[in-house]
Amino acid sequence: MQRIWIYMEIFMKFPSWLHVAGDVSYRGECPLEDVEHVTFFNQLRIQFPELHAIAVHPKNEAKRTGKDFYKAKQDKLRGALNTGASDVVIPCTPAVVIELKRLDHTQSHWQPGQQEYLSQCHKLGSHVCVALGWGAAINFIKQQYIP
């Protein structure tokens, strides 16, 4: 039997309604998403302390087993976990909701429910984007937030 190997580069697809902050053409080495989160929240604290005071990063992405799985199930029933919740939620008026990805978006992928969550926030009037790197997320806030 002959095996045929097909190379296919998988890119994140961005819906037309979703603002993409950052350079979608960038390819190369870049920090991991967790590093982008830490840097983003540090910069938010420095540049927008009033927003940092109310910003949240929902913890929905961890893989769970055993007791942790049971606790996660209970948390979901209480509304503490929301599948697909974005990385950054700032409950100002209007809310700012950001899904933070790596600078090179080909090294990232969508988690289940993330696009639907962003879509619902967008429909309800939030400022919504997917940001490619912490710098793009801060620039998005600079464009949207007027103190």
Side-chain angles (χ1 to χ4, degrees):
M1 176 167 49
Q2 181 182 13
R3 288 189 181 186
I4 299 172
W5 293 96
I6 300 173
Y7 174 76
M8 184 171 77
E9 195 167 2
I10 299 173
F11 295 99
M12 287 186 70
K13 304 257 189 236
F14 302 113
S16 60
W17 55 265
L18 180 59
H19 176 75
V20 180
D23 180 4
V24 295
S25 66
Y26 178 82
R27 301 290 182 276
E29 290 187 29
C30 57
L32 296 174
E33 202 170 303
D34 286 345
V35 175
E36 296 284 5
H37 289 157
V38 170
T39 306
F40 169 79
F41 277 98
N42 284 336
Q43 288 299 314
L44 188 66
R45 186 182 78 255
I46 293 165
Q47 297 184 41
F48 299 98
E50 68 282 9
L51 295 181
H52 182 267
I54 61 171
V56 292
H57 169 60
K59 296 297 286 177
N60 286 337
E61 298 171 1
K63 298 206 184 327
R64 297 170 179 92
T65 58
K67 287 183 197 177
D68 291 337
F69 180 78
Y70 177 77
K71 183 177 180 332
K73 186 174 181 181
Q74 295 302 312
D75 286 346
K76 188 166 180 88
L77 290 172
R78 287 193 301 269
L81 294 178
N82 191 340
T83 302
S86 293
D87 294 321
V88 180
V89 178
I90 306 174
C92 53
T93 304
V96 176
V97 181
I98 301 171
E99 182 58 42
L100 188 55
K101 298 296 184 186
R102 296 177 73 175
L103 279 171
D104 179 350
H105 70 88
T106 65
Q107 297 179 37
S108 295
H109 59 277
W110 290 109
Q111 297 293 327
Q114 287 181 332
Q115 290 184 58
E116 294 80 4
Y117 185 90
L118 287 167
S119 175
Q120 191 62 32
C121 291
H122 176 72
K123 289 175 186 173
L124 293 171
S126 299
H127 292 304
V128 174
C129 85
V130 59
L132 308 179
W134 70 266
I138 290 292
N139 286 337
F140 179 74
I141 289 173
K142 287 178 180 177
Q143 293 169 0
Q144 302 301 324
Y145 177 64
I146 301 169

